[in-house]
Amino acid sequence: MEAIYYTLVAAGLYFMSDRLLDRIEIIRGERFQNRAVRSLVFFLIILVLASITFSLINYLVQPPK
């Protein structure tokens, strides 16, 4: 069951990260010209969101001791 949670959350994080990257570019007033920089920013956004979200899922799914 955990695998299903992680898969669904990962898909949602992908789309959320894409929207956040678009918002960052709108606030900046232009797109990142270098694709490597854009990919790096996307990676950092999804990494932070995934770390927080997956830790939360792990905490919620673990049985109480």
Side-chain angles (χ1 to χ4, degrees):
M1 194 67 177
E2 273 183 65
I4 294 171
Y5 294 144
Y6 285 117
T7 303
L8 292 174
V9 168
L13 288 176
Y14 175 83
F15 291 110
M16 186 185 304
S17 297
D18 187 48
R19 290 192 66 133
L20 281 172
L21 180 59
D22 285 340
R23 297 297 289 161
I24 290 169
E25 290 175 334
I26 289 170
I27 291 169
R28 264 184 96 227
E30 65 178 347
R31 285 213 177 279
F32 291 107
Q33 298 301 319
N34 189 344
R35 297 211 22 113
V37 173
R38 190 170 200 273
S39 295
L40 180 64
V41 172
F42 179 82
F43 174 74
L44 291 174
I45 293 169
I46 202 166
L47 178 68
V48 170
L49 291 176
S51 297
I52 293 168
T53 307
F54 290 164
S55 294
L56 181 64
I57 290 173
N58 192 29
Y59 175 76
L60 294 174
V61 171
Q62 283 183 337
K65 293 181 179 179

